[in-house]
Amino acid sequence: MNHRLFLTLLLFLNLYSCITAQVIPDTLLQKSNKELLKAYDLFKEDIYIQAYLKKAKISNDTTSIVNAYNLLSNLYNGEASIKYSDSIIALTENSPNTMYPAYSYLTKGQAYFFKVRKMKAALDNLLLADKYARQYYNKEIIFGSNHMIGLLKDRIGYSEEALQIHIQNLEFAEKNYEETIKPVFTSISIHAIAYTYKNLEQLDSALYYNNLGIEKASNLKTKKIINHLFLNEGVIYYHTQKLEDAKKSIKKAIKYFEKIDDKPNKAESYFYLAKIYRDLNQEEKAISYLQKIDSIFIQTNDLLPEIREGYEILINHYKEKENTELQLLYLERLISLDSVLSSNKSYLSDNLKSKYDIPKLIKAKEILIAKLKKDKINLKYIFIGILILLIIIIIGLFLRQKKFEQKFNAIIEQDSNIKKPELTAKTSIVNNENLEVPQYIAMDILKQLETFENNQEFTDKKITLLSLAKSYNTNSTYLSKTINHYYNKSFTNYINDLRIEHALVKLKDSSSFRRYTIKAIAHDTGFKSAETFSKLFMKKNGIYPSYFIKKMEAFEKQTHP
């Protein structure tokens, strides 16, 4: 087997087995190392490696001992894998080479991340893997550690930075690996890019890379990557309100994750199935999936940050049912999860910055300085360059501040910017051209939407295209096409624009509302997260809500001293 292909498989494929105490027969100890390794390669039973290890210890053959520990670390999962990796590190740390201890630190980091779910320990080991791999330039381990660090960055909300890592990894794989193993590395990176685009809510890009990943992974016949991509596809479909497609993709993936008992991916699958069934008004089915997630949290003490919403849903569900006992139980679980997430985010954020990002910047600076010296550029030009850069930054900040002030002043002077269609017979006839919706239905929908806007029903976080269409006694296609035609925007953008405009009006008019936290303002106006609200507020108004609130307070003090 090609050496790099073998390493690739060790890095990214999980092999499952049970650890049992074994007595090694003398007949095995009498076999040659080559025969034992061949038997292991054929049967994947650890007794052959244990025999190989015992022979290596008897002859004090360090190279063979390390090789045996390495095979065992990849044969087992979780704590057992970590134990064997630690044995390798103890033997090799004082005399490192291109392979060890970097590879063992990477194996430990993956075990802590995927199986043991200890994110702090995962990061510590991945940083050490990256350090040794760069020192001895092992391309495969650099790729692996970068990939894992990208996943950690994405997990704590640094998705833009994670995306850059995964894109660079994809380019690295395309340039550095021969055709025999390139598809494995590229498929891994493409899945990571699709997943990160999904987290950034850039759903067109997410779907493009996800489809590309499925195509490449299908050719490789790697079930693990394919099913990760099916799950990601389902989540993308959910966010685009294609609920049936989302359910189909997620259920396709969940069979695999349940078969191998992949708890993190089972939890994500259950969460989005719960969201889908809630949108389809099948509350009890949704609650049963959320309860499955709770069982997983009890076992792993870890969930993806986005899944915390599941506990909020459970708490509200049992509050409506007046079941105080279960309401309190899930509240305690939410507090426990928040503690874990907060602790992990703080630790990961600080250490990624100090031990991963800053060393890379310092290295880039050292390369630049060396180049400047080599080209005999006078040191004064460096200072001049820095001075110019600082001036540019200061001017940029000043212009940014002026731009924000102009945006604020424009908002203060403007009226509501949601354009409502005029409901006249003439307008309806003229504007109904190419609508593909019966005129009387379109007019009825527009009248109901006017009531919907006036009553501020858009602040309900549970509103979906399907639920609104059902309440109007029409179908989602007619409702979507009517909104798109008359408002020139999608249903999602229509709802979000109403919510942002509503928030803006309240922030203008109510000093008490301005004292709310951004999260509370977001929830009050119908958004499920403060991040989504802030991003959409900025996109529509050109300034962040926190800046608007600050300027609005100062404006009121000036106008009403």
Side-chain angles (χ1 to χ4, degrees):
M1 182 182 286
N2 180 291
H3 171 72
R4 286 183 176 173
L5 177 57
F6 178 68
L7 179 57
T8 304
L9 293 172
L10 291 181
L11 278 168
F12 295 106
L13 299 179
N14 290 318
L15 300 171
Y16 294 85
S17 181
C18 297
I19 303 172
T20 56
Q22 293 170 303
V23 176
I24 302 168
D26 290 337
T27 52
L28 284 183
L29 294 175
Q30 291 167 9
K31 290 184 179 295
S32 69
N33 285 347
K34 187 176 181 180
E35 288 174 321
L36 290 170
L37 291 175
K38 187 176 180 180
Y40 168 73
D41 195 43
L42 185 63
F43 299 110
K44 289 294 183 288
E45 292 181 6
D46 82 329
I47 192 166
Y48 299 106
I49 301 304
Q50 295 291 357
Y52 176 80
L53 176 60
K54 187 170 182 179
K55 286 183 66 178
K57 287 182 175 179
I58 291 169
S59 59
N60 200 26
D61 180 354
T62 305
T63 301
S64 295
I65 292 171
V66 169
N67 189 36
Y69 283 143
N70 181 52
L71 290 168
L72 289 167
S73 72
N74 286 283
L75 178 61
Y76 296 124
N77 292 308
E79 297 289 357
S81 176
I82 291 166
K83 180 188 75 172
Y84 288 118
S85 295
D86 279 334
S87 297
I88 297 173
I89 291 166
L91 286 169
T92 62
E93 194 152 30
N94 291 329
S95 53
N97 56 41
T98 55
M99 184 72 171
Y100 299 110
Y103 177 65
S104 296
Y105 279 123
L106 177 58
T107 304
K108 281 182 67 180
Q110 290 174 321
Y112 277 122
F113 185 96
F114 290 117
K115 295 298 175 184
V116 184
R117 308 305 290 173
K118 291 183 179 178
M119 298 302 152
K120 296 178 184 179
L123 177 60
D124 290 341
N125 283 279
L126 291 169
L127 290 171
L128 286 167
D130 185 70
K131 170 190 166 185
Y132 282 108
R134 290 183 186 282
Q135 186 176 348
Y136 293 95
Y137 196 64
N138 185 310
K139 291 189 295 185
E140 284 80 2
I141 300 174
I142 290 172
F143 178 94
S145 61
N146 269 342
H147 175 77
M148 296 299 300
I149 286 170
L151 297 183
L152 284 169
K153 277 182 173 285
D154 196 26
R155 181 187 170 94
I156 60 173
Y158 297 166
S159 296
E160 291 284 1
E161 295 174 22
L163 182 63
Q164 291 307 310
I165 290 173
H166 295 313
I167 289 172
Q168 288 168 10
N169 248 12
L170 179 58
E171 293 171 353
F172 185 82
E174 292 285 359
K175 289 178 183 177
N176 286 278
Y177 300 121
E178 62 268 20
E179 291 305 317
T180 52
I181 63 171
K182 185 186 293 184
V184 177
F185 285 96
T186 55
S187 293
I188 289 162
S189 293
I190 288 168
H191 166 249
I193 290 169
Y195 186 83
T196 308
Y197 269 127
K198 180 261 296 179
N199 289 344
L200 286 167
E201 298 181 19
Q202 297 180 32
L203 301 180
D204 289 341
S205 296
L207 194 56
Y208 167 79
Y209 277 99
N210 213 79
N211 289 337
L212 180 63
I214 289 173
E215 179 187 334
K216 288 185 176 292
S218 296
N219 294 333
L220 289 171
K221 297 181 180 178
T222 51
K223 287 185 179 180
K224 184 174 183 180
I225 298 175
I226 288 172
N227 283 286
H228 276 90
L229 288 160
F230 283 148
L231 171 56
N232 199 50
E233 179 182 66
V235 176
I236 295 167
Y237 283 148
Y238 171 78
H239 286 302
T240 54
Q241 287 297 296
K242 296 178 180 177
L243 300 185
E244 290 302 325
D245 289 336
K247 185 168 58 169
K248 183 180 177 182
S249 294
I250 294 170
K251 286 196 169 183
K252 198 185 300 183
I254 205 170
K255 290 179 183 177
Y256 174 79
F257 296 131
E258 287 180 335
K259 182 179 178 181
I260 66 170
D261 194 27
D262 183 336
K263 292 181 177 63
N265 285 293
K266 283 199 300 182
E268 186 177 1
S269 302
Y270 294 151
F271 175 67
Y272 279 100
L273 283 175
K275 301 258 285 183
I276 290 165
Y277 282 118
R278 286 191 85 220
D279 287 354
L280 296 173
N281 296 317
Q282 298 181 41
E283 187 74 10
E284 292 306 319
K285 225 171 187 179
I287 294 301
S288 69
Y289 278 114
L290 295 176
Q291 288 168 337
K292 288 184 178 183
I293 295 171
D294 179 55
S295 299
I296 290 173
F297 178 57
I298 292 168
Q299 295 173 62
T300 63
N301 197 39
D302 180 72
L303 290 173
L304 283 172
E306 65 195 273
I307 296 178
R308 76 177 297 282
E309 183 193 345
Y311 279 117
E312 293 179 346
I313 295 169
L314 284 168
I315 291 164
N316 290 329
H317 174 79
Y318 286 109
K319 183 178 181 181
E320 291 174 6
K321 297 281 186 182
E322 297 184 355
N323 189 327
T324 308
E325 187 176 341
L326 285 178
Q327 190 182 340
L328 179 60
L329 171 68
Y330 291 122
L331 180 59
E332 288 172 349
R333 291 271 207 281
L334 179 58
I335 292 168
S336 177
L337 175 59
D338 278 346
S339 175
V340 171
L341 294 177
S342 176
S343 174
N344 279 341
K345 183 171 183 177
S346 175
Y347 184 87
L348 296 177
S349 177
D350 291 346
N351 283 276
L352 278 168
K353 187 62 66 180
S354 64
K355 296 180 182 178
Y356 182 77
D357 294 331
I358 291 176
K360 281 196 168 186
L361 290 174
I362 291 171
K363 184 67 177 177
K365 176 186 170 186
E366 289 172 351
I367 292 170
L368 178 60
I369 291 172
K371 186 177 183 302
L372 291 173
K373 285 181 178 178
K374 184 179 179 181
D375 296 340
K376 297 181 180 179
I377 296 176
N378 196 299
L379 192 60
K380 70 179 180 181
Y381 293 116
I382 298 175
F383 289 120
I384 291 170
I386 292 171
L387 182 61
I388 291 170
L389 183 61
L390 286 172
I391 291 169
I392 291 170
I393 291 171
I394 291 168
I395 292 171
L397 290 172
F398 174 76
L399 292 175
R400 184 171 179 264
Q401 186 70 14
K402 289 294 291 182
K403 183 181 177 182
F404 278 10
E405 287 179 4
Q406 289 169 0
K407 292 286 185 183
F408 174 79
N409 292 333
I411 290 169
I412 292 299
E413 294 170 6
Q414 75 183 5
D415 293 325
S416 174
N417 60 6
I418 297 286
K419 291 185 179 180
K420 300 179 183 179
E422 296 176 10
L423 302 179
T424 65
K426 183 180 177 182
T427 302
S428 66
I429 293 168
V430 172
N431 288 348
N432 205 47
E433 188 179 351
N434 300 323
L435 176 56
E436 299 178 0
V437 176
Q439 182 183 334
Y440 75 95
I441 293 178
M443 290 300 99
D444 181 61
I445 288 172
L446 287 172
K447 287 176 183 177
Q448 293 193 76
L449 287 175
E450 185 174 29
T451 303
F452 173 79
E453 293 174 19
N454 291 337
N455 294 341
Q456 298 173 2
E457 295 171 34
F458 49 81
T459 59
D460 182 356
K461 289 191 280 291
K462 297 179 182 178
I463 285 290
T464 65
L465 178 65
L466 194 64
S467 66
L468 198 60
K470 190 175 180 181
S471 69
Y472 290 173
N473 293 317
T474 187
N475 61 59
S476 57
T477 302
Y478 282 176
L479 177 58
S480 177
K481 285 186 175 181
T482 301
I483 291 172
N484 186 264
H485 185 80
Y486 285 99
Y487 289 86
N488 196 27
K489 60 186 70 175
S490 67
F491 173 77
T492 301
N493 289 339
Y494 166 70
I495 294 294
N496 286 337
D497 282 352
L498 286 171
R499 289 169 175 170
I500 293 296
E501 184 63 26
H502 177 62
L504 190 63
V505 170
K506 289 191 74 173
L507 288 170
K508 276 185 183 180
D509 297 343
S510 173
S511 59
S512 60
F513 191 65
R514 290 195 294 273
R515 287 195 286 272
Y516 286 14
T517 63
I518 298 298
K519 184 176 181 180
I521 292 170
H523 280 251
D524 184 81
T525 50
F527 291 100
K528 294 179 180 179
S529 74
E531 291 79 10
T532 302
F533 168 66
S534 293
K535 188 184 294 183
L536 290 172
F537 192 97
M538 173 65 179
K539 184 178 179 181
K540 185 166 179 61
N541 298 302
I543 54 177
Y544 287 104
S546 54
Y547 177 86
F548 179 79
I549 291 168
K550 181 181 176 183
K551 291 292 290 183
M552 195 68 211
E553 289 294 307
F555 177 77
E556 284 214 337
K557 285 180 182 177
Q558 288 176 355
T559 53
H560 302 93

